[in-house]
Amino acid sequence: MAELTIEHNAGFFSCCSVRLSNIISFFNDKKRLPHTIDCSQQFFCYKDNHLEDINNTFFSEREEDNIVFETSIDFHWEYQFVPYCNLNFNTLTPFIKKYFNISQTVKTIVERFEQTYNINYTNTIAVFYRGNDKCIETRIGSYEEYFDKAEELNIKFPNSIFLIQTDESEFRDEFKTKFPNSFYFEEIPVTSHANNKVMHNIVQQSNRKHFGALFLAATLCISKCNAIITHSGNCGIFAVLYRGNSKNVFQYLTSGWV
């Protein structure tokens, strides 16, 4: 029997946030890492066969990595709605590198994105807008607020290119019209704001595992950009956790930009 079993299922990065939270809670309680973790029941929404363990599609745990801290680590899955500049990246990054190291499948997609779209991260600004059903959990910034922030960074970082990652076709299309110096990953599907549904419920069941890998790869690309304009949520926090710092991260909270 696994020493730690994680069964939480929801969106892709919701699964990741709860997994990270549970691993850190175990670490704080036992003062060591779990010897075995069973996450086979996660990512239920992304499976063709509900008995299948698809974790290796997305992640490749670095078993050789050990983590040692004398004090407790501060993290909870609800931190998706706190200012990311307050996260202690020195303590969290080792957990990300060990338990959320991307698989070769995802690495291949990242490399394909980089080559296909000729990404130069030093002059790319990522715009991460999570709309649709996220309004149930938190206040979502208006398109205009994101456009204003993008214009501000367009001036601050001249000659930049915007990478748009969103689940709303209306946001993507309006942003592209206002900022022609932008692109998006055409392989990743979007839906209409009018649907008010989470993307994995719109993608065909047989394509959801591949969609999860594409989405994870896109989030890795976002994390590498010179600057990130992001919503608050599990997707946003994982882009920043993969980044390993909050430098040039502009986060929309219910009170506005932080």
Side-chain angles (χ1 to χ4, degrees), residues 226-246:
N226 178 47
I228 304 175
I229 302 171
T230 184
H231 63 283
S232 294
N234 290 305
C235 307
I237 195 173
F238 255 82
V240 179
L241 286 170
Y242 272 121
R243 185 180 189 79
N245 63 74
S246 60

Side-chain angles (χ1 to χ4, degrees), residues 149-214:
K149 179 58 68 174
E151 183 58 45
E152 177 185 321
L153 295 192
N154 209 23
I155 296 170
K156 182 176 181 180
F157 302 109
N159 302 315
S160 290
I161 297 174
F162 290 101
L163 165 58
I164 312 165
Q165 177 56 43
T166 181
D167 55 351
E168 291 192 1
S169 59
E170 295 89 345
F171 179 87
R172 182 196 67 187
D173 295 344
E174 287 188 37
F175 192 97
K176 190 80 167 60
T177 298
K178 288 182 177 293
F179 300 94
N181 56 327
S182 61
F183 71 100
Y184 54 87
F185 298 130
E186 296 180 8
E187 298 87 337
I188 300 180
V190 293
T191 187
S192 170
H193 172 74
N195 285 335
N196 198 31
K197 293 181 180 179
V198 64
M199 276 303 306
H200 65 246
N201 288 335
I202 297 171
V203 175
Q204 287 187 348
Q205 187 80 42
S206 60
N207 293 332
R208 290 182 187 176
K209 181 164 60 175
H210 182 58
F211 167 71
L214 288 171

